[in-house]
């Protein structure tokens, strides 16, 4: 059997710790680890790749189906950009699926998340594959106003997808409110994506709940197929299924292609040679 994602990440972390002790950059250790894995492949990798492909296809069908509430959770507020990016990726794929029909997206931001992580950056959204003309941005002050806005937007049927950002686990947004939004989405055929930033797992009526975190990106590929050293390629996300009909808590690493507006399995790791693989800098103890 091949190594699990947790085992590989543990191996990478150990190699990086050794590299720091030896005074080497972190990315050298990760490159060495990925090279060693390619030189010593594990048996059963073909079966594992087939299982990952089947899991990915089934997951995409569920996430892009209209009339569902999908929840995405980031463990830390520093991961807010990754959670929002993955939500926008699904929203864009849903809009492509509805080609010829409604194309607008509604993003309802949380004021606390905006204060800590900042507003969405318009040029970055354009590079991500999202036209500013298709995005409607709102930032209600209270969670009650945000929930009312979601229900009104679903009833209008004017949006291909609605993204609701929530900080933590507010008391006024629990299982009852989640159930009401889920029924509203099912009745109107709308796609509702809940972005729970820095929140804990809790009871929810969402069809799926995913834990989303950033993953190291590959180097940018040139026209001749070679890699541009020192560059950073397309965004990569590591997702873990926390609530689904699939047994266990499988992990997938997905890459976003802004040109094709598609998520795809991240098949190959090629280091960007920039910084650490961790999204948060590691500082020595004072």
């Amino acid at each position: 059997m091949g190594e699990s994602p947790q085992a590989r990440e543990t191996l990478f972390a150990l190699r990086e710790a050794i590299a720091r002790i030896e005074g080497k950059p972190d990315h050298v250790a990760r490159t060495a680890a990925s090279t060693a894995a390619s030189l010593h492949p594990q048996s059963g990798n073909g079966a594992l790749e087939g299982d990952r492909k089947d899991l990915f296809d089934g997951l995409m069908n569920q996430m892009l189906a209209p009339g569902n509430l999908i929840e995405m959770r980031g463990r830390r507020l520093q991961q807010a950009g990754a959670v929002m990016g993955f939500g926008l990726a699904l929203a864009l794929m849903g809009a492509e699926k509805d080609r010829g029909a409604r194309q607008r997206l509604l993003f309802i931001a949380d004021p606390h998340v905006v204060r800590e992580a900042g507003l969405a950056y318009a040029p970055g959204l354009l590079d991500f594959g999202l036209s500013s003309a298709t995005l409607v941005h709102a930032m209600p002050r209270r969670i009650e106003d945000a929930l009312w806005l979601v229900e009104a937007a679903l009833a209008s049927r004017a949006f291909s997808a609605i993204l609701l950002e929530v900080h933590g686990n507010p008391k006024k947004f629990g299982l009852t409110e989640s159930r009401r939004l889920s029924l509203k989405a099912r009745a109107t055929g709308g796609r509702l994506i809940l972005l729970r930033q820095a929140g804990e797992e809790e009871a929810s009526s969402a069809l799926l709940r995913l834990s989303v975190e950033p993953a190291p990106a590959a180097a940018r590929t040139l026209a001749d197929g070679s890699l541009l050293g020192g560059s950073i390629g397309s965004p990569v996300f590591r997702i873990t299924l926390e609530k689904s009909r699939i047994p266990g808590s499988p992990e997938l690493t997905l890459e976003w292609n802004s040109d094709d507006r598609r998520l795809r399995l991240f098949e190959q790791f090629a280091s960007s040679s920039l910084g650490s693989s961790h999204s948060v800098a590691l500082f020595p103890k004072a």
Side-chain angles (χ1 to χ4, degrees), residues 115-169:
R115 284 194 298 268
E116 296 295 325
L119 286 167
Y121 185 54
L125 293 177
L126 186 62
D127 187 59
F128 196 75
L130 176 63
S131 170
S132 58
T134 63
L135 179 66
V136 178
H137 188 277
M139 191 171 60
R141 294 183 179 181
R142 303 186 307 157
I143 184 65
E144 299 93 330
D145 297 333
L147 296 177
W148 176 88
L149 182 56
V150 170
E151 292 195 49
L154 287 171
S156 72
R157 303 175 188 264
F159 300 96
S160 175
I162 300 167
L163 295 93
L164 172 62
E165 186 176 60
V166 176
H167 176 253
N169 303 80

Side-chain angles (χ1 to χ4, degrees), residues 69 71 73 169-170 173-179 194 196 200-209 242-243:
L69 168 61
E71 181 175 344
R73 187 175 69 88
N169 303 80
F173 181 60
L175 181 59
T176 301
E177 291 77 13
S178 172
R179 177 67 174 168
L194 173 63
R196 190 180 294 277
E200 302 295 332
E201 296 183 52
E202 66 176 17
S204 169
S205 294
L207 174 69
L208 290 170
R209 182 172 63 235
E242 295 182 337
K243 177 187 176 183

Side-chain angles (χ1 to χ4, degrees), residues 12-269:
F12 292 153
L14 289 174
R15 289 181 181 272
E16 289 171 359
I18 295 172
R20 284 194 294 272
I21 294 173
E22 295 176 347
K24 299 177 181 178
D26 292 345
H27 67 83
V28 174
R30 180 169 285 273
T31 304
S34 59
T35 302
S38 64
L39 292 176
H40 303 283
Q42 301 290 330
S43 60
N45 277 353
L48 288 176
E49 288 300 318
D51 292 343
R52 289 174 66 243
K53 184 66 166 59
D54 292 341
L55 174 61
F56 172 73
D57 291 339
L59 189 61
M60 285 294 105
N61 289 334
Q62 292 185 55
M63 289 193 293
L64 296 179
N68 288 328
L69 168 61
I70 308 297
E71 181 175 344
M72 301 174 189
R73 187 175 69 88
R75 294 183 176 90
R76 301 189 304 272
L77 200 53
Q78 294 94 327
Q79 298 171 344
V83 177
M84 177 186 174
F86 191 75
L88 285 175
L90 285 185
L92 285 170
M93 291 178 68
E96 287 291 315
K97 192 175 182 180
D98 295 339
R99 185 176 294 278
R102 49 191 177 181
Q103 290 286 311
R104 289 188 178 88
L105 309 178
L106 173 61
F107 177 61
I108 305 173
D110 186 281
H112 181 80
V113 177
V114 170
R115 284 194 298 268
E116 296 295 325
L119 286 167
Y121 185 54
L125 293 177
L126 186 62
D127 187 59
F128 196 75
L130 176 63
S131 170
S132 58
T134 63
L135 179 66
V136 178
H137 188 277
M139 191 171 60
R141 294 183 179 181
R142 303 186 307 157
I143 184 65
E144 299 93 330
D145 297 333
L147 296 177
W148 176 88
L149 182 56
V150 170
E151 292 195 49
L154 287 171
S156 72
R157 303 175 188 264
F159 300 96
S160 175
I162 300 167
L163 295 93
L164 172 62
E165 186 176 60
V166 176
H167 176 253
N169 303 80
K171 293 182 179 180
K172 295 183 179 180
F173 181 60
L175 181 59
T176 301
E177 291 77 13
S178 172
R179 177 67 174 168
R180 188 171 70 242
L181 292 184
S182 179
L183 292 174
K184 191 71 172 181
R186 188 178 306 170
T188 59
R191 295 185 182 89
L192 179 54
I193 302 173
L194 173 63
L195 311 178
R196 190 180 294 277
Q197 308 286 15
E200 302 295 332
E201 296 183 52
E202 66 176 17
S204 169
S205 294
L207 174 69
L208 290 170
R209 182 172 63 235
L210 312 172
S211 173
V212 181
E213 57 184 343
R220 191 173 294 275
T221 304
L222 300 177
D224 59 358
S226 62
L227 299 177
L228 179 60
S231 65
I232 300 178
S234 301
V236 180
F237 309 92
R238 183 182 294 111
I239 65 171
T240 305
L241 274 67
E242 295 182 337
K243 177 187 176 183
S244 70
R245 300 171 183 172
I246 303 171
S249 300
E251 282 188 0
L252 285 175
T253 304
L254 306 179
E255 183 180 44
W256 171 248
N257 187 313
S258 58
D259 295 324
D260 297 336
R261 290 188 172 190
R262 289 287 183 274
L263 284 165
R264 60 188 181 191
L265 285 170
F266 191 51
E267 303 290 353
Q268 175 184 353
F269 183 88

